[in-house]
Amino acid sequence: MAKKFGIFFTLFCILSTSCLGDWNILSQHKTNSGLKISLKNYCESWRMNVELHNIRDYVVVPQECVAYIGKYMTSTQYKVDSERTINECILYLSTNCILENDGKDAWIFDIDDTLLSSVPYYKKNGFGGNKLNVTSLEDWMSQGKGTAVEHSLKLFNHLKGLGVKIFLVSSRREHLRSATVDNLVKVDFYGWNSLILRDQEDECKNAQTFKAEIRSKLISQGYRIVGIIGDQWSSIEGLPSAKRSFKLPNPMYYVA
Amino acid sequence: MAKKFGIFFTLFCILSTSCLGDWNILSQHKTNSGLKISLKNYCESWRMNVELHNIRDYVVVPQECVAYIGKYMTSTQYKVDSERTINECILYLSTNCILENDGKDAWIFDIDDTLLSSVPYYKKNGFGGNKLNVTSLEDWMSQGKGTAVEHSLKLFNHLKGLGVKIFLVSSRREHLRSATVDNLVKVDFYGWNSLILRDQEDECKNAQTFKAEIRSKLISQGYRIVGIIGDQWSSIEGLPSAKRSFKLPNPMYYVA
């Protein structure tokens, strides 16, 4: 696989005449410190540091890693990584004293790449290597073709079975409400308590602020947010926080 | 490599008669959902979910992943991952308006597996697969044989050059002070502002509480904590927080 990336990388560099980031001395394949590495090493370290939240606010996946990220997002590894996250949520829910069962236990889900996969969209749009085109993405969303992030359905149904109130909190805009509901139901997500999208007054807020405000409102309504699961750090960070938060892998894009 | 892990895993399972965690149906090599995976897939998803902070409070690395974790911790990949984290810190420090240059800019470092590598110790002690033996680990620490986490020295010296005050905050106990100083200096870490270890009154606190209290004290002394770097989430999480935090990879052990 390293060889394949090497070939891709060489071709890319010949065609583009320059390479981005740390990877700018083609002939050496070395990091700043002189460490000899493969393109796979480089892209894997990029992905790991994205997931560790050390790399933030990136606009596009580095060009030289687009093939690697595409491969990861369509791999068994991505499925296993996500399934493990879901299983850890279920394990957490089995801990004593997490739930009070008084109708005020709440769980928050992101939508994109948490419940509905946008991999089919990004597959046709450069796997995060192209700058986000909101019109094109919203057009795709309005068609309601998102597939289920399959293991998430297990958690969703598990929470329903436990009687936990489910809140879907997404940066999708209000005009996508009907398409979003249709899409969710089509792939078997139904029975949530509330679907909260961004309306006009939220448009100037970043996602983290918007989502933290929603948590604040839920708490003021008496809910205890026992957990959040999302694919972006902005769904999880900021105050007030949930009792526990779970981050699904997603190196394709960054939402602040 | 997958094959090698497969052989190891098969041998392990034959010898131990049972396998732990999700990996308990030897003949199938399937996850709960029926996904067919290799041992490498499984251990990689374990490691990724540790770094995402979805898996917490583990006492030992799962037995079936000890060889995989040992391989990672001694690999080029671990070095590249860590170097990338360090480079992201340096990039962050180059951002406008991060430093005020009034003698109150502060940076916090963990010690173990942030400045001093304990890989030489864990190499001889099961790479996180054995339950922590504090006496044995402290005995090793008292010998001052820790090697430098090499890329961290670059950040350390960069911060010195910028005039940022450096604080070393570690869960190591006070009786290791002299050995720790000797070890740090031997591998070229010197010129810090303060080395803060746990004294007797801190022994009953968990690391996160202890470290958050130290941050609180520094802030009350007028310092602005512009950054923290550590290999444990407990060095970073909790309030008050630093302006930014960076997490180095370390799947060998978990400190709460």
Side-chain angles (χ1 to χ4, degrees):
Chain A
M1 192 152 69
K3 195 177 168 192
K4 196 173 165 190
F5 277 109
I7 293 165
F8 164 78
F9 178 63
T10 307
L11 273 173
F12 167 78
C13 290
I14 290 167
L15 293 170
S16 71
T17 73
S18 78
C19 296
L20 305 172
D22 296 47
W23 199 263
N24 44 20
I25 307 172
L26 170 64
S27 57
Q28 292 190 334
H29 291 212
K30 286 182 181 175
T31 65
N32 292 351
S33 68
L35 203 60
K36 283 189 187 178
I37 62 169
S38 68
L39 181 60
K40 183 165 178 285
N41 286 143
Y42 171 74
C43 296
E44 203 159 311
S45 78
W46 182 83
R47 178 168 69 87
M48 177 51 86
N49 278 276
V50 163
E51 298 301 356
L52 284 168
H53 210 196
N54 294 330
I55 294 177
R56 302 183 183 188
D57 298 312
Y58 62 92
V59 178
V60 290
V61 170
Q63 281 308 310
E64 62 272 34
C65 296
V66 165
Y68 166 84
I69 294 301
K71 206 172 166 76
Y72 171 70
M73 290 305 296
T74 53
S75 69
T76 297
Q77 191 61 54
Y78 168 66
K79 287 184 189 159
V80 187
D81 291 349
S82 307
E83 186 176 12
R84 183 68 193 233
T85 309
I86 296 300
N87 287 343
E88 291 300 319
C89 296
I90 292 171
L91 184 67
Y92 160 69
L93 286 161
S94 72
T95 320
N96 276 341
C97 312
I98 296 296
L99 303 180
E100 295 196 18
N101 303 306
D102 57 354
K104 290 296 185 183
D105 296 315
W107 188 279
I108 295 176
F109 282 94
D110 263 4
I111 294 183
D112 294 298
D113 296 299
T114 298
L115 296 184
L116 296 178
S117 172
S118 60
V119 171
Y121 173 79
Y122 284 99
K123 208 175 212 169
K124 290 184 180 166
N125 289 274
F127 272 121
N130 302 340
K131 207 177 152 191
L132 177 67
N133 180 327
V134 177
T135 312
S136 147
L137 180 62
E138 289 197 335
D139 181 57
W140 179 82
M141 287 172 172
S142 70
Q143 295 166 41
K145 288 184 181 170
T147 53
V149 177
E150 54 190 309
H151 308 299
S152 297
L153 187 58
K154 185 167 72 172
L155 174 61
F156 190 95
N157 288 334
H158 185 72
L159 286 159
K160 283 204 294 189
L162 290 172
V164 176
K165 296 282 192 295
I166 294 172
F167 294 87
L168 313 186
V169 182
S170 169
S171 298
R172 285 185 176 210
R173 293 193 293 170
E174 270 297 342
H175 71 89
L176 290 163
R177 178 171 292 272
S178 151
T180 303
V181 170
D182 287 351
N183 198 157
L184 285 164
V185 171
K186 194 165 71 185
V187 295
D188 291 334
F189 292 107
Y190 52 86
W192 59 78
N193 201 64
S194 181
L195 166 64
I196 301 158
L197 304 178
R198 274 198 303 164
D199 59 25
Q200 268 192 320
E201 68 180 271
D202 301 316
E203 293 224 352
C204 296
K205 294 172 192 163
N206 66 23
Q208 183 171 317
T209 305
F210 163 64
K211 292 183 174 183
E213 284 178 7
I214 300 298
R215 292 198 294 278
S216 190
K217 277 181 200 162
L218 292 176
I219 291 167
S220 71
Q221 288 164 24
Y223 290 105
R224 284 177 307 281
I225 307 171
V226 295
I228 301 180
I229 184 165
D231 64 295
Q232 299 289 323
W233 285 107
S234 56
S235 306
I236 290 171
E237 294 201 330
L239 297 172
S241 53
K243 204 158 179 176
R244 261 205 63 182
S245 301
F246 296 85
K247 164 83 177 66
L248 283 162
N250 181 9
M252 290 190 301
Y253 53 85
Y254 185 90
V255 180
Chain B
M1 190 150 73
K3 195 176 166 191
K4 194 173 165 190
F5 276 108
I7 293 166
F8 164 79
F9 179 62
T10 308
L11 273 173
F12 167 78
C13 290
I14 290 167
L15 291 170
S16 71
T17 72
S18 80
C19 297
L20 305 173
D22 296 47
W23 200 263
N24 44 18
I25 306 171
L26 171 61
S27 58
Q28 293 190 333
H29 291 214
K30 283 181 184 178
T31 65
N32 292 350
S33 67
L35 201 61
K36 282 189 187 177
I37 62 169
S38 67
L39 181 60
K40 183 165 177 285
N41 286 143
Y42 171 74
C43 295
E44 204 160 309
S45 78
W46 183 83
R47 179 167 70 88
M48 177 53 85
N49 277 277
V50 163
E51 297 302 356
L52 284 167
H53 211 194
N54 295 329
I55 294 176
R56 301 183 182 187
D57 298 313
Y58 60 92
V59 177
V60 290
V61 169
Q63 281 307 311
E64 62 273 36
C65 295
V66 166
Y68 167 84
I69 293 301
K71 205 171 168 74
Y72 172 70
M73 290 305 296
T74 52
S75 71
T76 297
Q77 192 60 53
Y78 168 65
K79 286 183 187 159
V80 188
D81 291 350
S82 307
E83 185 175 11
R84 183 69 192 230
T85 309
I86 296 299
N87 287 342
E88 291 301 318
C89 296
I90 292 171
L91 184 67
Y92 160 69
L93 285 162
S94 73
T95 321
N96 278 340
C97 312
I98 296 297
L99 302 181
E100 296 196 17
N101 304 305
D102 59 352
K104 290 297 186 181
D105 296 316
W107 188 280
I108 294 175
F109 282 94
D110 263 7
I111 295 182
D112 293 298
D113 295 300
T114 298
L115 297 183
L116 297 178
S117 171
S118 60
V119 170
Y121 173 79
Y122 284 99
K123 207 175 214 170
K124 290 185 181 164
N125 289 274
F127 273 121
N130 303 340
K131 207 177 154 192
L132 176 66
N133 179 330
V134 177
T135 312
S136 145
L137 179 62
E138 289 198 333
D139 180 56
W140 179 81
M141 287 172 171
S142 71
Q143 295 168 40
K145 287 184 182 170
T147 52
V149 177
E150 51 189 313
H151 309 297
S152 297
L153 186 58
K154 185 166 74 174
L155 173 62
F156 191 94
N157 288 334
H158 185 73
L159 286 160
K160 283 204 295 188
L162 291 170
V164 176
K165 296 283 193 294
I166 295 171
F167 294 88
L168 313 186
V169 181
S170 168
S171 297
R172 284 186 177 209
R173 294 193 290 172
E174 271 296 342
H175 71 88
L176 289 163
R177 178 170 292 271
S178 152
T180 303
V181 171
D182 287 351
N183 198 159
L184 286 164
V185 173
K186 193 165 72 185
V187 294
D188 290 336
F189 292 108
Y190 54 85
W192 59 78
N193 201 65
S194 182
L195 166 65
I196 301 157
L197 304 178
R198 276 199 300 166
D199 58 25
Q200 267 191 321
E201 66 180 273
D202 301 315
E203 293 225 350
C204 295
K205 296 171 192 164
N206 66 21
Q208 183 170 319
T209 306
F210 163 63
K211 292 185 174 183
E213 284 179 5
I214 299 297
R215 293 198 293 280
S216 190
K217 278 182 199 162
L218 292 177
I219 290 167
S220 71
Q221 289 164 22
Y223 289 105
R224 285 178 307 281
I225 306 170
V226 296
I228 301 181
I229 185 165
D231 63 294
Q232 298 289 323
W233 286 107
S234 57
S235 306
I236 290 172
E237 295 201 328
L239 295 173
S241 54
K243 204 156 179 179
R244 263 208 57 186
S245 301
F246 296 86
K247 164 84 173 71
L248 283 162
N250 180 9
M252 290 188 302
Y253 54 85
Y254 186 90
V255 180

